[in-house]
Amino acid sequence: MVMDINEVQEYLPHRYPFLLVDKVVELTLGESIVAIKNVTGNENHFNGHFPGLPIMPGVLIIEAMAQAAGILGFKTLDKKPSDGSIYMFAGVDNARFKRQVVPGDQLILKAQYVSDRKGLWKFECQAYVEETLACSATILCIDRKK
């Protein structure tokens, strides 16, 4: 394991119930990251999405991929939120959902660095359950001072 939950929390300002990365298992600065989100039935969004048929909302899958990309950006720049920097979600393009994500699944979040200009970073991201693609998207994040 590259980063446990304690180190993840050093690089993401999110906290329960919105912290969607449990650990990082691979990280190559300036290139790519592989992170894990364990999907559990006690997560609050399953109360309403959908009763009797719990499915993780697509927007949360995209947010989980963006958080993984944010960790890659922060680690690459050697910055932390405690330094006064925050990585904000700036956009999403080409989002595609291929498989439902349900309690008991483990999301494998992958992000690959594509480019950055003037603090705007672009990543190609995927979320897998086992080896099956659940979601893919191009995600933009912006580095800003808090």
Side-chain angles (χ1 to χ4, degrees):
M1 179 172 35
V2 175
M3 294 172 67
D4 65 14
I5 189 63
N6 295 312
E7 191 173 2
V8 165
Q9 289 180 331
E10 289 180 35
Y11 286 89
L12 289 178
H14 309 78
R15 293 297 178 264
Y16 178 83
F18 216 68
L19 179 61
L20 300 174
V21 174
D22 294 319
K23 66 181 174 181
V24 174
V25 294
E26 293 178 30
L27 178 68
T28 303
L29 296 178
E31 290 183 23
S32 63
I33 189 169
V34 178
I36 301 296
K37 160 66 177 139
N38 294 306
V39 181
T40 63
N42 63 348
E43 294 176 61
N44 199 36
H45 52 266
F46 289 126
N47 291 327
H49 200 268
F50 298 98
L53 182 64
I55 299 170
M56 185 173 182
V59 68
L60 292 181
I61 298 169
I62 292 195
E63 174 66 26
M65 293 188 305
Q67 288 182 19
I71 293 170
L72 175 58
F74 267 133
K75 290 286 281 187
T76 297
L77 293 173
D78 193 27
K79 288 184 178 181
K80 295 179 182 179
S82 62
D83 298 328
S85 183
I86 190 164
Y87 235 67
M88 299 179 70
F89 196 170
V92 61
D93 294 316
N94 306 314
R96 298 291 180 266
F97 299 94
K98 305 288 187 179
R99 178 197 190 282
Q100 294 176 352
V101 177
V102 299
D105 286 343
Q106 185 177 69
L107 271 181
I108 302 164
L109 308 165
K110 297 183 179 187
Q112 299 82 38
Y113 165 83
V114 175
S115 63
D116 67 279
R117 288 187 179 176
K118 298 181 182 177
L120 183 67
W121 288 58
K122 184 176 185 178
F123 301 90
E124 290 298 330
C125 300
Q126 306 82 35
Y128 291 85
V129 175
E130 296 178 1
E131 295 184 16
T132 302
L133 182 65
C135 179
S136 63
T138 302
I139 291 180
L140 303 173
C141 297
I142 193 157
D143 179 25
R144 291 286 186 239
K145 293 184 193 276
K146 294 200 262 187

